[in-house]
Amino acid sequence: MKKPSLPSFDHQPKAYTGPSLEDVKKLRKRYLTPALLTYYTDPIMIVEGFMQYVYDEKGRRYLDVFGGIVTISVGHCHPYVIQKTKEQLETLQHATTIYYHPVIAEYARMLAEKLPGDLSVCYFVNSGSEANDLALLMARLYTHNFEVIALRNAYHGGSAATMGLTAHSTWKYNYPHSFGIHHAVAPDPFRGPWGHDDPEAGPKYAADIKNLIDYATPGRVGAFFAESIQGVGGAVVYPDGYLKKAFEYIRAAGGLCISDEVQTGFGRTGYHYWGFENQGVVPDIVTMAKGIGNGVPLAAVVTTPEIAQELTQRIHFNTFGGNPVSCAVGLAVLEVIEEERWQAHRE
Ligand SMILES: Cc1ncc(COP(=O)(O)O)c(C=O)c1O
Protein backbone atom coordinates (compact mmCIF):
# COMPACT_ATOMS: atom_id res chain seq x y z
CA MET A 1 0.00 0.00 0.00
CA LYS A 2 1.30 3.45 -0.91
CA LYS A 3 2.03 5.51 2.19
CA PRO A 4 0.17 8.81 2.17
CA SER A 5 2.43 11.84 2.46
CA LEU A 6 1.75 14.56 5.01
CA PRO A 7 1.34 18.19 4.02
CA SER A 8 4.24 20.46 4.96
CA PHE A 9 4.17 21.83 8.49
CA ASP A 10 6.12 24.62 10.10
CA HIS A 11 7.52 22.92 13.18
CA GLN A 12 11.00 21.53 13.70
CA PRO A 13 11.06 18.83 16.41
CA LYS A 14 13.89 19.03 18.92
CA ALA A 15 16.76 16.54 18.51
CA TYR A 16 15.86 13.59 20.73
CA THR A 17 18.51 12.75 23.34
CA GLY A 18 16.63 10.32 25.64
CA PRO A 19 16.84 6.53 25.93
CA SER A 20 16.47 4.48 22.75
CA LEU A 21 13.22 2.77 21.78
CA GLU A 22 14.81 -0.59 22.63
CA ASP A 23 15.80 0.64 26.12
CA VAL A 24 12.36 2.12 26.74
CA LYS A 25 10.77 -1.21 25.74
CA LYS A 26 13.03 -3.04 28.21
CA LEU A 27 12.37 -0.54 31.02
CA ARG A 28 8.64 -0.74 30.47
CA LYS A 29 8.69 -4.52 30.46
CA ARG A 30 10.77 -4.67 33.63
CA TYR A 31 9.23 -1.84 35.68
CA LEU A 32 5.69 -1.24 34.52
CA THR A 33 2.60 -3.33 35.05
CA PRO A 34 2.12 -6.03 32.40
CA ALA A 35 -1.53 -4.92 32.25
CA LEU A 36 -0.58 -1.92 30.06
CA LEU A 37 -1.67 -2.28 26.49
CA THR A 38 -0.10 -0.90 23.35
CA TYR A 39 -1.65 -0.39 19.96
CA TYR A 40 -0.21 -1.99 16.82
CA THR A 41 2.27 -4.88 16.58
CA ASP A 42 5.05 -2.34 16.33
CA PRO A 43 4.03 0.58 18.54
CA ILE A 44 5.75 3.90 17.96
CA MET A 45 7.44 5.90 20.70
CA ILE A 46 6.08 9.42 20.92
CA VAL A 47 8.57 11.99 22.17
CA GLU A 48 7.08 15.29 21.04
CA GLY A 49 3.78 16.75 19.92
CA PHE A 50 2.71 19.95 18.27
CA MET A 51 -0.91 20.71 17.34
CA GLN A 52 -2.29 17.83 15.21
CA TYR A 53 1.04 16.02 14.91
CA VAL A 54 3.22 13.83 17.11
CA TYR A 55 6.87 12.93 16.51
CA ASP A 56 8.86 9.79 17.24
CA GLU A 57 12.47 9.67 18.47
CA LYS A 58 13.75 9.91 14.89
CA GLY A 59 11.80 13.12 14.29
CA ARG A 60 9.29 11.30 12.08
CA ARG A 61 5.92 13.08 12.02
CA TYR A 62 2.53 11.38 12.47
CA LEU A 63 -0.98 12.79 12.22
CA ASP A 64 -2.60 12.13 15.59
CA VAL A 65 -6.06 11.13 14.45
CA PHE A 66 -6.82 9.67 17.87
CA GLY A 67 -6.09 12.94 19.71
CA GLY A 68 -4.45 11.15 22.63
CA ILE A 69 -7.62 9.05 23.07
CA VAL A 70 -9.99 11.97 22.48
CA THR A 71 -8.05 14.13 24.93
CA ILE A 72 -6.12 16.64 22.86
CA SER A 73 -8.99 19.02 22.25
CA VAL A 74 -7.12 22.05 20.89
CA GLY A 75 -3.82 20.57 19.70
CA HIS A 76 -0.67 19.17 21.30
CA CYS A 77 1.30 21.83 23.18
CA HIS A 78 -1.02 24.58 21.95
CA PRO A 79 1.08 27.75 22.40
CA TYR A 80 -1.58 29.69 24.34
CA VAL A 81 -2.34 26.75 26.65
CA ILE A 82 1.39 26.26 27.29
CA GLN A 83 1.87 29.97 27.98
CA LYS A 84 -0.97 29.93 30.54
CA THR A 85 0.35 26.70 32.11
CA LYS A 86 3.84 28.18 32.45
CA GLU A 87 2.53 31.41 33.95
CA GLN A 88 0.57 29.44 36.55
CA LEU A 89 3.43 27.04 37.29
CA GLU A 90 5.69 29.99 37.96
CA THR A 91 3.13 31.71 40.17
CA LEU A 92 1.43 29.07 42.31
CA GLN A 93 1.82 25.40 41.54
CA HIS A 94 -0.36 23.94 44.24
CA ALA A 95 -3.10 25.00 46.60
CA THR A 96 -6.00 22.90 47.76
CA THR A 97 -9.59 23.93 48.17
CA ILE A 98 -9.16 24.46 51.92
CA TYR A 99 -7.86 27.93 50.93
CA TYR A 100 -9.25 30.41 48.44
CA HIS A 101 -7.44 30.72 45.17
CA PRO A 102 -8.64 32.76 42.24
CA VAL A 103 -8.16 30.42 39.28
CA ILE A 104 -10.58 27.72 40.42
CA ALA A 105 -13.27 30.34 41.06
CA GLU A 106 -12.89 32.04 37.69
CA TYR A 107 -12.68 28.73 35.90
CA ALA A 108 -15.81 27.35 37.59
CA ARG A 109 -17.76 30.42 36.49
CA MET A 110 -16.57 30.11 32.91
CA LEU A 111 -17.32 26.39 32.76
CA ALA A 112 -20.75 26.78 34.36
CA GLU A 113 -21.61 29.44 31.78
CA LYS A 114 -21.17 26.82 29.07
CA LEU A 115 -23.93 24.63 30.51
CA PRO A 116 -27.68 24.97 30.10
CA GLY A 117 -30.42 25.22 32.74
CA ASP A 118 -29.53 25.13 36.38
CA LEU A 119 -26.27 23.20 35.86
CA SER A 120 -24.04 25.70 37.62
CA VAL A 121 -22.06 24.06 40.42
CA CYS A 122 -18.70 22.44 39.65
CA TYR A 123 -16.66 19.88 41.51
CA PHE A 124 -13.18 19.35 40.03
CA VAL A 125 -11.36 16.01 40.13
CA ASN A 126 -8.54 14.42 38.12
CA SER A 127 -10.02 11.75 35.88
CA GLY A 128 -13.21 10.63 34.22
CA SER A 129 -13.50 7.62 36.52
CA GLU A 130 -13.33 9.88 39.57
CA ALA A 131 -15.94 12.19 38.08
CA ASN A 132 -18.33 9.30 37.47
CA ASP A 133 -17.68 7.87 40.95
CA LEU A 134 -18.67 11.20 42.41
CA ALA A 135 -21.75 11.56 40.22
CA LEU A 136 -22.88 8.11 41.31
CA LEU A 137 -22.44 9.04 44.96
CA MET A 138 -24.30 12.34 44.53
CA ALA A 139 -27.25 10.71 42.76
CA ARG A 140 -27.64 7.98 45.34
CA LEU A 141 -27.43 10.49 48.18
CA TYR A 142 -29.86 12.91 46.59
CA THR A 143 -32.50 10.39 45.59
CA HIS A 144 -32.09 7.95 48.51
CA ASN A 145 -32.30 5.27 45.84
CA PHE A 146 -29.58 2.72 45.21
CA GLU A 147 -30.44 1.16 41.86
CA VAL A 148 -28.79 2.58 38.78
CA ILE A 149 -29.37 1.98 35.09
CA ALA A 150 -26.52 2.21 32.62
CA LEU A 151 -26.22 0.93 29.05
CA ARG A 152 -24.64 -2.15 27.60
CA ASN A 153 -21.59 -1.31 25.53
CA ALA A 154 -20.92 1.68 27.83
CA TYR A 155 -17.56 2.77 29.19
CA HIS A 156 -17.54 4.95 32.30
CA GLY A 157 -14.16 4.12 33.83
CA GLY A 158 -12.07 1.47 35.48
CA SER A 159 -12.29 2.35 39.19
CA ALA A 160 -14.07 -0.09 41.49
CA ALA A 161 -17.42 1.71 41.19
CA THR A 162 -17.25 2.72 37.54
CA MET A 163 -16.22 -0.76 36.42
CA GLY A 164 -19.75 -1.62 37.48
CA LEU A 165 -21.20 1.03 35.18
CA THR A 166 -18.97 -0.04 32.32
CA ALA A 167 -20.49 -2.82 30.25
CA HIS A 168 -17.90 -4.57 28.11
CA SER A 169 -16.54 -7.91 29.26
CA THR A 170 -13.07 -6.79 28.14
CA TRP A 171 -12.96 -4.08 30.84
CA LYS A 172 -14.75 -5.92 33.66
CA TYR A 173 -12.49 -8.04 35.86
CA ASN A 174 -13.89 -11.27 37.18
CA TYR A 175 -14.53 -10.12 40.72
CA PRO A 176 -17.63 -8.79 42.51
CA HIS A 177 -18.86 -5.44 41.14
CA SER A 178 -21.95 -3.77 39.67
CA PHE A 179 -24.06 -3.99 42.84
CA GLY A 180 -27.36 -2.29 42.13
CA ILE A 181 -26.41 -1.54 38.53
CA HIS A 182 -28.54 -2.79 35.64
CA HIS A 183 -27.60 -2.47 31.99
CA ALA A 184 -30.25 -1.67 29.41
CA VAL A 185 -30.00 -2.62 25.74
CA ALA A 186 -27.56 -0.36 23.87
CA PRO A 187 -29.49 1.90 21.47
CA ASP A 188 -27.24 0.98 18.58
CA PRO A 189 -29.03 1.65 15.28
CA PHE A 190 -26.55 -0.51 13.33
CA ARG A 191 -26.22 -3.60 15.53
CA GLY A 192 -29.39 -3.51 17.63
CA PRO A 193 -32.85 -4.93 16.95
CA TRP A 194 -34.24 -1.64 15.57
CA GLY A 195 -32.43 -0.28 12.58
CA HIS A 196 -31.31 3.19 11.56
CA ASP A 197 -34.28 3.42 9.20
CA ASP A 198 -36.88 2.89 11.93
CA PRO A 199 -38.23 6.34 12.91
CA GLU A 200 -39.52 4.90 16.19
CA ALA A 201 -36.21 3.25 17.16
CA GLY A 202 -35.47 5.83 19.90
CA PRO A 203 -38.57 5.17 22.02
CA LYS A 204 -38.36 1.42 21.24
CA TYR A 205 -34.85 1.18 22.71
CA ALA A 206 -35.85 3.36 25.66
CA ALA A 207 -38.67 0.92 26.48
CA ASP A 208 -36.02 -1.46 27.81
CA ILE A 209 -35.27 1.08 30.55
CA LYS A 210 -38.91 1.07 31.62
CA ASN A 211 -38.78 -2.71 31.57
CA LEU A 212 -35.73 -2.76 33.85
CA ILE A 213 -37.34 -0.28 36.24
CA ASP A 214 -40.48 -2.41 36.44
CA TYR A 215 -38.89 -5.87 36.60
CA ALA A 216 -35.34 -5.52 37.94
CA THR A 217 -35.59 -2.74 40.55
CA PRO A 218 -37.97 -1.78 43.38
CA GLY A 219 -39.56 0.63 40.91
CA ARG A 220 -37.39 3.49 42.15
CA VAL A 221 -33.95 4.28 40.80
CA GLY A 222 -31.10 6.59 41.77
CA ALA A 223 -29.68 7.36 38.38
CA PHE A 224 -29.35 6.74 34.71
CA PHE A 225 -25.84 6.96 33.29
CA ALA A 226 -25.21 7.37 29.59
CA GLU A 227 -22.43 8.63 27.38
CA SER A 228 -24.03 11.03 24.93
CA ILE A 229 -22.42 9.02 22.15
CA GLN A 230 -20.80 5.73 23.16
CA GLY A 231 -17.08 6.18 22.61
CA VAL A 232 -15.09 3.13 23.68
CA GLY A 233 -17.99 1.02 22.39
CA GLY A 234 -17.40 2.23 18.84
CA ALA A 235 -18.93 5.70 18.28
CA VAL A 236 -22.55 4.62 18.73
CA VAL A 237 -24.87 7.53 17.95
CA TYR A 238 -28.31 6.94 19.47
CA PRO A 239 -31.49 7.19 17.42
CA ASP A 240 -33.43 10.45 17.72
CA GLY A 241 -35.62 10.71 20.76
CA TYR A 242 -33.81 8.00 22.71
CA LEU A 243 -32.45 10.08 25.59
CA LYS A 244 -35.64 12.14 25.85
CA LYS A 245 -37.73 9.02 26.46
CA ALA A 246 -35.06 7.42 28.66
CA PHE A 247 -34.90 10.55 30.86
CA GLU A 248 -38.71 10.57 31.18
CA TYR A 249 -38.76 6.98 32.48
CA ILE A 250 -35.89 7.59 34.88
CA ARG A 251 -37.33 10.81 36.30
CA ALA A 252 -40.72 9.18 36.76
CA ALA A 253 -38.96 6.53 38.88
CA GLY A 254 -37.29 9.20 41.04
CA GLY A 255 -33.86 9.03 39.39
CA LEU A 256 -31.36 11.58 38.16
CA CYS A 257 -30.07 11.63 34.61
CA ILE A 258 -26.31 11.72 34.29
CA SER A 259 -24.58 12.52 31.01
CA ASP A 260 -21.03 11.28 30.67
CA GLU A 261 -19.46 13.93 28.44
CA VAL A 262 -15.92 12.65 28.90
CA GLN A 263 -15.54 12.09 25.15
CA THR A 264 -18.35 14.18 23.65
CA GLY A 265 -17.98 17.49 25.49
CA PHE A 266 -16.22 20.73 24.58
CA GLY A 267 -17.59 21.11 21.09
CA ARG A 268 -16.36 17.75 19.89
CA THR A 269 -19.63 16.99 18.12
CA GLY A 270 -19.44 20.27 16.19
CA TYR A 271 -22.83 21.95 16.26
CA HIS A 272 -23.28 21.60 20.00
CA TYR A 273 -20.92 22.22 22.89
CA TRP A 274 -22.25 19.14 24.71
CA GLY A 275 -23.17 15.80 23.21
CA PHE A 276 -26.48 15.59 25.08
CA GLU A 277 -27.71 18.70 23.21
CA ASN A 278 -27.84 16.58 20.04
CA GLN A 279 -30.67 14.66 21.72
CA GLY A 280 -32.49 17.77 23.00
CA VAL A 281 -32.20 16.90 26.71
CA VAL A 282 -30.81 18.60 29.80
CA PRO A 283 -29.31 16.20 32.36
CA ASP A 284 -29.19 16.65 36.13
CA ILE A 285 -25.48 15.91 36.39
CA VAL A 286 -22.77 16.16 33.74
CA THR A 287 -19.38 14.50 34.04
CA MET A 288 -16.42 15.61 31.94
CA ALA A 289 -12.72 14.77 31.52
CA LYS A 290 -10.23 14.16 28.68
CA GLY A 291 -10.65 17.16 26.34
CA ILE A 292 -11.43 19.46 29.27
CA GLY A 293 -7.71 19.69 30.02
CA ASN A 294 -6.08 19.07 26.62
CA GLY A 295 -3.86 16.45 28.25
CA VAL A 296 -3.52 17.49 31.90
CA PRO A 297 -5.28 15.49 34.63
CA LEU A 298 -8.48 17.49 34.99
CA ALA A 299 -12.09 16.35 35.20
CA ALA A 300 -15.31 17.79 36.55
CA VAL A 301 -18.80 17.07 37.76
CA VAL A 302 -21.30 19.84 37.14
CA THR A 303 -24.75 19.77 38.67
CA THR A 304 -27.49 21.94 40.15
CA PRO A 305 -27.09 23.81 43.46
CA GLU A 306 -29.74 21.58 45.05
CA ILE A 307 -28.06 18.28 44.13
CA ALA A 308 -24.61 19.65 45.00
CA GLN A 309 -25.85 20.39 48.51
CA GLU A 310 -26.01 16.65 49.29
CA LEU A 311 -22.24 16.35 49.54
CA THR A 312 -22.22 18.71 52.53
CA GLN A 313 -23.50 15.85 54.72
CA ARG A 314 -19.87 14.77 55.19
CA ILE A 315 -16.48 16.06 54.10
CA HIS A 316 -15.55 15.27 50.53
CA PHE A 317 -12.02 16.24 49.65
CA ASN A 318 -9.76 15.74 46.68
CA THR A 319 -6.11 16.84 47.07
CA PHE A 320 -5.42 17.66 43.44
CA GLY A 321 -8.97 18.35 42.28
CA GLY A 322 -9.20 21.97 41.17
CA ASN A 323 -5.49 22.67 41.60
CA PRO A 324 -4.37 26.01 40.12
CA VAL A 325 -2.36 24.53 37.25
CA SER A 326 -5.12 22.22 35.97
CA CYS A 327 -7.67 25.02 36.33
CA ALA A 328 -5.44 27.48 34.45
CA VAL A 329 -5.18 24.92 31.64
CA GLY A 330 -8.95 24.26 31.69
CA LEU A 331 -9.60 27.98 31.44
CA ALA A 332 -7.17 28.39 28.55
CA VAL A 333 -8.83 25.49 26.71
CA LEU A 334 -12.25 27.14 26.99
CA GLU A 335 -10.77 30.37 25.62
CA VAL A 336 -9.06 28.65 22.70
CA ILE A 337 -12.19 26.69 21.71
CA GLU A 338 -14.06 30.01 21.63
CA GLU A 339 -11.47 32.28 20.07
CA GLU A 340 -10.23 29.88 17.42
CA ARG A 341 -13.81 28.84 16.64
CA TRP A 342 -13.05 25.14 16.98
CA GLN A 343 -16.69 24.14 16.66
CA ALA A 344 -16.78 25.66 13.20
CA HIS A 345 -14.05 23.17 12.11
CA ARG A 346 -16.70 20.51 11.73
CA GLU A 347 -17.04 20.56 7.95
C1 LIG B 1 -16.94 8.04 28.23
C2 LIG B 1 -15.85 7.83 29.23
N1 LIG B 1 -16.13 7.97 30.53
C3 LIG B 1 -15.18 7.81 31.46
C4 LIG B 1 -13.89 7.47 31.13
C5 LIG B 1 -12.87 7.27 32.19
O1 LIG B 1 -11.97 8.34 32.18
P1 LIG B 1 -10.51 8.17 32.83
O2 LIG B 1 -9.72 7.23 31.97
O3 LIG B 1 -9.99 9.59 32.82
O4 LIG B 1 -10.72 7.67 34.21
C6 LIG B 1 -13.56 7.30 29.77
C7 LIG B 1 -12.19 6.93 29.36
O5 LIG B 1 -11.93 6.49 28.28
C8 LIG B 1 -14.56 7.48 28.80
O6 LIG B 1 -14.31 7.32 27.50
Side-chain angles (χ1 to χ4, degrees):
M1 195 176 82
K2 192 171 168 279
K3 274 194 193 159
S5 57
L6 292 174
S8 60
F9 187 59
D10 190 16
H11 175 76
Q12 185 58 40
K14 296 185 228 30
Y16 177 72
T17 55
S20 69
L21 173 60
E22 279 316 305
D23 285 349
V24 169
K25 271 190 199 165
K26 283 186 205 144
L27 289 169
R28 177 161 158 147
K29 194 161 189 296
R30 170 79 177 79
Y31 293 108
L32 287 166
T33 168
L36 296 182
L37 136 143
T38 48
Y39 262 25
Y40 319 112
T41 26
D42 236 343
I44 58 165
M45 179 163 80
I46 297 172
V47 301
E48 191 169 327
F50 190 66
M51 299 310 287
Q52 68 271 43
Y53 295 113
V54 289
Y55 298 84
D56 68 13
E57 74 286 2
K58 297 200 170 80
R60 208 175 296 138
R61 178 159 55 104
Y62 301 84
L63 178 64
D64 185 3
V65 287
F66 212 7
I69 315 192
V70 207
T71 297
I72 298 301
S73 44
V74 294
H76 287 276
C77 298
H78 186 288
Y80 181 73
V81 176
I82 295 299
Q83 179 206 325
K84 290 292 173 185
T85 313
K86 270 189 179 161
E87 281 171 19
Q88 189 57 51
L89 275 168
E90 287 166 0
T91 310
L92 177 70
Q93 189 187 2
H94 180 69
T96 72
T97 46
I98 65 168
Y99 300 102
Y100 289 128
H101 68 84
V103 199
I104 187 174
E106 285 183 311
Y107 178 45
R109 177 181 55 81
M110 254 186 97
L111 183 59
E113 281 173 2
K114 296 281 176 207
L115 284 137
D118 215 10
L119 292 163
S120 60
V121 179
C122 308
Y123 194 126
F124 295 111
V125 291
N126 310 290
S127 69
S129 301
E130 269 186 277
N132 285 330
D133 272 353
L134 190 62
L136 183 64
L137 172 69
M138 281 178 173
R140 283 176 165 159
L141 289 176
Y142 181 79
T143 60
H144 302 273
N145 294 329
F146 182 69
E147 310 286 324
V148 169
I149 296 179
L151 298 180
R152 291 189 202 152
N153 196 43
Y155 187 85
H156 295 290
S159 63
T162 57
M163 193 187 299
L165 294 168
T166 290
H168 296 263
S169 59
T170 40
W171 304 90
K172 283 167 101 77
Y173 285 84
N174 194 4
Y175 95 122
H177 52 62
S178 309
F179 304 112
I181 298 171
H182 310 270
H183 290 100
V185 168
D188 182 338
F190 290 97
R191 293 170 202 86
W194 293 289
H196 63 95
D197 50 356
D198 181 344
E200 288 307 308
K204 284 179 181 168
Y205 281 108
D208 193 49
I209 290 173
K210 175 75 174 121
N211 194 277
L212 278 179
I213 293 169
D214 290 346
Y215 296 103
T217 76
R220 307 290 295 164
V221 297
F224 170 62
F225 262 85
E227 296 157 270
S228 298
I229 293 173
Q230 290 184 329
V232 171
V236 175
V237 179
Y238 309 146
D240 287 346
Y242 174 73
L243 285 182
K244 208 168 232 168
K245 202 71 201 157
F247 280 23
E248 271 173 39
Y249 289 136
I250 294 293
R251 286 176 172 149
L256 298 184
C257 299
I258 302 173
S259 287
D260 179 332
E261 288 282 333
V262 168
Q263 292 209 14
T264 46
F266 300 92
R268 198 167 280 274
T269 63
Y271 288 98
H272 296 291
Y273 209 83
W274 306 107
F276 58 76
E277 292 172 298
N278 292 295
Q279 286 265 324
V281 293
V282 178
D284 304 296
I285 303 180
V286 181
T287 61
M288 36 190 101
K290 290 188 185 277
I292 189 175
N294 201 47
V296 304
L298 172 64
V301 180
V302 183
T303 188
T304 66
E306 194 181 321
I307 296 167
Q309 194 59 29
E310 285 300 323
L311 275 191
T312 62
Q313 292 177 30
R314 294 287 186 279
I315 297 170
H316 199 280
F317 178 70
N318 190 305
T319 301
F320 297 116
N323 75 80
V325 178
S326 300
C327 287
V329 174
L331 214 151
V333 167
L334 293 182
E335 288 175 337
V336 170
I337 294 173
E338 210 59 49
E339 272 157 37
E340 295 183 2
R341 303 186 65 251
W342 276 81
Q343 279 179 268
H345 293 196
R346 63 185 171 244
E347 270 135 20

